[in-house]
Amino acid sequence: ARLPPITRSLQELVEAQAPSELARRRSEIQAEDAEDPDLTRPLVGGFHPWQEVASSRSLYLESGRVVRRGSPGVAIADAGTDRIIVKFDRRLDLSDECLGVQPDDIVTQLSRSFG
């Protein structure tokens, strides 16, 4: 299970209550990103590691449909030169394994604040 999404009100609360801690953590994240360029390098199709995505259509394996259209997930890494490894929140076959998908199989996940 993933953490709940950050809402505007939660973001504003953290910025108001702990600005120095927030600045320290942002600084640490920037330093870590500088040490590991793979975290900032785009994946196939222009996606990024740890970006929230959703399936653009139902996805199938030989055993049948494993992901419904619109299912949320997280882009993890490239899988060769034409696929992306995605960890979907829920698969219909109840597997916890990641899937290697083509870039047009996923779309950027809209923020939950969009409704």
Side-chain angles (χ1 to χ4, degrees):
R2 290 189 290 164
L3 293 173
I6 297 172
T7 62
R8 177 170 281 147
S9 58
L10 179 59
Q11 182 70 30
E12 290 172 356
L13 176 68
V14 170
E15 288 172 355
Q17 297 297 316
S20 60
E21 178 66 14
L22 184 61
R24 183 186 68 77
R25 290 185 184 196
R26 284 182 176 157
S27 162
E28 286 178 2
I29 290 169
Q30 287 175 345
E32 289 172 7
D33 288 350
E35 292 174 10
D36 190 353
D38 283 343
L39 291 176
T40 56
R41 182 184 56 80
L43 303 175
V44 174
F47 294 96
H48 295 277
W50 305 111
Q51 181 179 4
E52 293 191 24
V53 298
S55 59
S56 61
R57 59 177 149 252
S58 291
L59 303 176
Y60 295 83
L61 294 176
E62 289 181 13
S63 60
R65 186 168 70 159
V66 294
V67 175
R68 285 190 180 117
R69 182 178 63 85
S71 294
V74 177
I76 304 296
D78 285 329
T81 59
D82 65 342
R83 292 187 172 266
I84 302 168
I85 297 171
V86 176
K87 172 68 169 109
F88 287 99
D89 291 0
R90 182 182 301 168
R91 286 180 42 170
L92 298 174
D93 62 357
L94 305 178
S95 173
D96 286 330
E97 292 183 15
C98 296
L99 286 178
V101 302
Q102 295 179 334
D104 60 342
D105 290 336
I106 57 175
V107 294
T108 300
Q109 177 77 322
L110 292 176
S111 167
R112 294 187 187 183
S113 64
F114 281 99

